[in-house]
Amino acid sequence: QNTCLPPETSVYRVFVRPIRVSHMMLRRALHWAAAPPPFVSSTVGNTARGLSCQFRTLAASSISTPGSGSYGGRRYDQRWDSRTRGRVGAVVGVAGSASLASVAQSEANANSNNAAAVVAPMVTLYQYNPCPFCNKVKAVLDYSGIPWQAVEVDPLFKAEMKQTGLKKVPVVQLERTEGYLADSDAIIDRLNVLAESLGSEHALPHAAPVGSTAAETEEQWRAWINGRFVHIVTANIYNTWGESVQTFDYLLTHGNFGKVNQLMSTYVGAGVMFALSKLKLNKKHGIENPRAELYADCNAWVVAVGDNRFLGNDDRPTLADLGIFGVLRAIQDYDTFDEVMANTKISSWYFRVAEAVGDSARIDPAH
């Protein structure tokens, strides 16, 4: 259980944030070295695995601030993490060469004592990287350990969506199936059924008995996420021109749009969303003071969780936990996230869920 207290804003920005960045960069380097391509000496890999384990232990024991959990400031590009590496053989066409796949599959077979396992289908997610609805889906994929890859959609031109026949993200396609799934909650429910069919390797969220008060409470919170929480978070990341540009600057490094499209989508998109937020969206959703209302909503969720580790239980996160976590994880690299961690009581819960979710199950590079 993460027991860190919300830090003061100045201390968090001056001391903690640099530690998170350094922690993330070093861990990425060690992850790559710990699972090198076949042409790299196995001695290097074994040495790096040891260093990686020691580094994680040291970081977990010495940094008791947000970012010190197993998720930390991690992005979604940890292609060679330990959970993913054992499943690379099942997705060789996407993850890498046949040689690497055979090495990874051999390791997976050895770790499972050659036990037969059901291979999870590849999930392709059409997304905008900071989209809160997309990040709800990604939280469930990562928690369940279902391997997935992303198609980054250009928010201005949306050329990547033409083959789906749909206009809005998230959209999901399952390997070995036809058609596309839309609507974040419908996708999540389908993924939950898929994870259950794949066996014990894939974690399932906590589910209260159907018809119980606890189940009804969870459904109410899931509806609240879509009807309220997503919109208050969105209002905050487009609250100023600077925050709008910060939200869209991922396009400069993600996707394959070409430099001209990247620049146009970044600055035109930022301008459009900044204007829409001020002129229409805030009024539509009854938002008058975005920051103060976001802080209040986060604290209301903490009250609902109460003394439990997660909503209604101490065992596993519910779909409501994963939904709110996903929406907040969407903004983890933005100023809004830092201020939420510093000015609300949600940080301990957030990093508990981050620890339960663990490493990303994404197997393709982040951009």
Side-chain angles (χ1 to χ4, degrees):
Q1 179 176 350
N2 189 310
T3 58
C4 64
L5 297 176
E8 295 296 327
T9 302
S10 59
V11 174
Y12 187 74
R13 287 180 175 171
V14 174
F15 297 105
V16 177
R17 207 171 181 186
I19 291 174
R20 287 178 62 192
V21 173
S22 301
H23 175 246
M24 177 181 64
M25 292 177 66
L26 181 54
R27 181 167 49 198
R28 285 182 180 177
L30 290 173
H31 267 293
W32 182 90
F39 54 80
V40 179
S41 168
S42 61
T43 303
V44 174
N46 292 334
T47 302
R49 287 187 183 94
L51 289 173
S52 181
C53 292
Q54 293 179 25
F55 175 73
R56 286 187 175 189
T57 302
L58 176 62
S61 62
S62 62
I63 304 175
S64 58
T65 54
S68 63
S70 66
Y71 190 80
R74 184 178 296 117
R75 281 186 177 274
Y76 314 122
D77 59 355
Q78 298 213 3
R79 183 176 180 182
W80 307 111
D81 66 63
S82 58
R83 295 177 64 192
T84 300
R85 201 163 60 246
R87 291 191 291 274
V88 169
V91 290
V92 58
V94 178
S97 68
S99 176
L100 175 59
S102 62
V103 172
Q105 191 61 56
S106 297
E107 180 179 342
N109 291 341
N111 290 339
S112 61
N113 295 321
N114 296 318
V118 179
V119 177
M122 171 64 65
V123 173
T124 300
L125 172 67
Y126 292 78
Q127 65 156 10
Y128 306 142
N129 192 56
C131 163
F133 291 106
C134 299
N135 278 274
K136 286 171 51 186
V137 174
K138 289 190 281 190
V140 173
L141 284 166
D142 290 341
Y143 179 74
S144 299
I146 298 173
W148 61 279
Q149 60 182 344
V151 174
E152 197 64 44
V153 176
D154 183 340
L156 200 59
F157 299 101
K158 301 182 180 180
E160 296 77 13
M161 295 292 288
K162 289 182 179 179
Q163 69 184 60
T164 71
L166 300 166
K167 296 182 178 180
K168 296 182 179 180
V169 295
V171 171
V172 156
Q173 184 178 35
L174 299 180
E175 186 182 27
R176 302 189 296 273
T177 64
E178 297 182 0
Y180 298 87
L181 300 173
D183 182 84
S184 60
D185 279 351
I187 293 170
I188 287 169
D189 290 340
R190 176 68 181 86
L191 293 175
N192 209 32
V193 172
L194 173 63
E196 186 173 8
S197 71
L198 292 172
S200 59
E201 179 186 356
H202 300 271
L204 289 172
H206 175 84
V210 176
S212 66
T213 301
E216 292 177 1
T217 299
E218 181 184 343
E219 286 304 311
Q220 290 170 359
W221 278 108
R222 290 184 69 188
W224 176 84
I225 295 169
N226 294 339
R228 169 65 180 180
F229 196 61
V230 163
H231 301 298
I232 189 64
V233 169
T234 301
N236 276 270
I237 62 178
Y238 301 128
N239 193 40
T240 67
W241 169 248
E243 288 173 308
S244 294
V245 173
Q246 186 183 54
T247 301
F248 274 86
D249 69 2
Y250 78 95
L251 291 170
L252 298 176
T253 55
H254 288 62
N256 298 305
F257 315 140
K259 290 298 181 184
V260 174
N261 278 15
Q262 286 178 336
L263 289 169
M264 287 183 62
S265 295
T266 297
Y267 292 103
V268 174
V272 168
M273 290 308 301
F274 174 65
L276 277 176
S277 182
K278 294 296 183 184
L279 300 177
K280 181 180 179 180
L281 298 180
N282 287 2
K283 183 180 296 185
K284 177 181 179 180
H285 299 293
I287 299 170
E288 297 180 358
N289 188 332
R291 248 343 170 254
E293 292 179 39
L294 175 59
Y295 295 162
D297 286 348
C298 287
N299 285 331
W301 168 252
V302 173
V303 171
V305 174
D307 295 330
N308 298 315
R309 288 174 54 79
F310 311 109
L311 181 66
N313 78 102
D314 293 321
D315 182 24
R316 291 168 291 164
T318 65
L319 287 176
D321 287 286
L322 293 174
I324 293 178
F325 168 77
V327 173
L328 287 175
R329 189 170 72 168
I331 63 168
Q332 67 175 0
D333 294 321
Y334 305 153
D335 293 341
T336 301
F337 180 85
D338 293 340
E339 294 184 17
V340 166
M341 294 297 109
N343 293 287
T344 73
K345 299 178 180 179
I346 204 168
S347 63
S348 292
W349 167 85
Y350 177 87
F351 290 103
R352 280 200 299 274
V353 180
E355 183 177 10
V357 170
D359 290 329
S360 175
R362 179 172 179 172
I363 67 139
D364 62 322
H367 52 81

